[in-house]
Amino acid sequence: MLKTRILTALVLLAVLLPVLFFAYFPAFAVLATLFLGAAVWEAGRLFGLRAAPAWALGVAALFVYVLLRPAGGGNNMLFAVCAALWLMRFTPSLAIGLPPLKGSANYMVAFSFCFALFGCFVAIVALFQHSPAFLLSAMALVWVADIGAYFSGKAFGKRKLAPTISPGKSWEGAIGGAIAVLALSAASILAAPAAPWLADTFAVLLQARMGWFGALAILIVIVAASVVGDLFESQLKRRAAMKDSSNLLPGHGGVLDRIDALIPVLPLAALIGSWL
């Protein structure tokens, strides 16, 4: 299993890093469309939709339309709606539960989640068009939070964060993830004057516009959003009795398993980024 995970990760890096490094938008757009289609298909399976492939094709087609439309149309309203969905629909589900797999309520949540996925990938494009470094630095906040939560949870985890959804996660882990993000962000902000390559990263630009207090407050919100995204996908998998969203990425599960915490974060980051 470990060998398979490493091999899959190396293949993904070999494909993604050149696209990001050379900032070649057509290749980036193709990859984003493929990953979005795969994620929507996986979501359809988790929601028990027999027409999951059709949903995936429909959302991917809409995404291509957005990519091809004339430049100049802002997406801030889309990002704001995505943030509102996570705040008012998906986060409460962690406490009140999800509707049964069959019925109109399930279809409404499925539609809302696919809309959030669409918004996430439009945000990925917006962040990439700002700069690849800006996109990677926003995504790195989620990765650092996840790594920090893992090690903090292993070392100090006692109080379960959501025992009925993801028994392995703890409050101590979540707090450790937040501390890791704040520490790394503070370090990058302090190092930026001597390291020009950090100038166009999310935390540095955030602090320059919002100040230390504003930047740290927003970073905590971003960490909280990443935890919600992770837990919500775990809740979907638990309801559907699935261990992974699919087997598209051998050793890693599915696309959703790799981007779950990014789905609520990136539209929020793109919305904030439009003000930086």
Side-chain angles (χ1 to χ4, degrees):
M1 176 63 83
L2 179 59
K3 182 179 179 180
T4 303
R5 285 178 65 89
I6 293 173
L7 182 60
T8 300
L10 290 175
V11 171
L12 287 173
L13 289 173
V15 173
L16 295 173
L17 287 182
V19 173
L20 291 171
F21 180 78
F22 292 108
Y24 185 54
F25 184 74
F28 179 83
V30 169
L31 285 175
T33 303
L34 291 174
F35 277 108
L36 172 59
V40 174
W41 171 71
E42 291 174 352
R45 294 174 72 244
L46 292 177
F47 281 98
L49 306 179
R50 279 186 269 182
W55 282 57
L57 287 173
V59 174
L62 179 60
F63 184 66
V64 170
Y65 167 76
V66 170
L67 293 178
L68 295 178
R69 72 181 180 181
N75 292 300
N76 283 356
M77 182 59 71
L78 170 63
F79 302 147
V81 171
C82 289
L85 276 175
W86 281 100
L87 180 64
M88 296 187 291
R89 182 61 188 95
F90 303 136
T91 301
S93 293
L94 301 179
I96 65 177
L98 291 165
L101 272 172
K102 294 184 178 180
S104 58
N106 180 61
Y107 276 95
M108 289 300 296
V109 180
F111 177 82
S112 299
F113 187 67
C114 289
F115 182 89
L117 273 171
F118 172 76
C120 173
F121 277 82
V122 174
I124 288 174
V125 172
L127 294 167
F128 178 83
Q129 288 177 325
H130 184 290
S131 78
F134 194 66
L135 169 62
L136 285 174
S137 65
M139 298 174 80
L141 297 174
V142 175
W143 300 332
V144 170
D146 186 55
I147 294 169
Y150 176 80
F151 286 106
S152 297
K154 283 285 187 182
F156 309 110
K158 292 181 180 179
R159 292 173 293 177
K160 301 297 183 182
L161 180 62
T164 61
I165 297 174
S166 185
K169 291 181 172 58
S170 66
W171 280 103
E172 291 83 1
I175 293 170
I179 292 172
V181 167
L182 295 180
L184 183 64
S185 297
S188 66
I189 292 165
L190 293 172
W197 59 273
L198 289 171
D200 199 31
T201 55
F202 187 84
V204 171
L205 291 176
L206 186 63
Q207 190 275 334
R209 180 65 184 269
M210 305 288 189
W212 280 100
F213 181 79
L216 296 180
I218 289 173
L219 289 171
I220 290 173
V221 171
I222 284 175
V223 172
S226 74
V227 173
V228 170
D230 191 342
L231 288 175
F232 186 73
E233 200 234 355
S234 295
Q235 188 178 39
L236 290 177
K237 290 191 292 186
R238 185 170 290 272
R239 184 184 64 159
M242 293 184 183
K243 182 178 182 295
D244 298 313
S245 58
S246 77
N247 294 314
L248 289 178
L249 303 176
H252 293 267
V255 173
L256 279 180
D257 296 322
R258 300 277 63 83
I259 68 167
D260 51 5
L262 294 169
I263 301 169
V265 167
L266 295 185
L268 184 60
L271 183 61
I272 295 168
S274 68
W275 301 330
L276 300 181

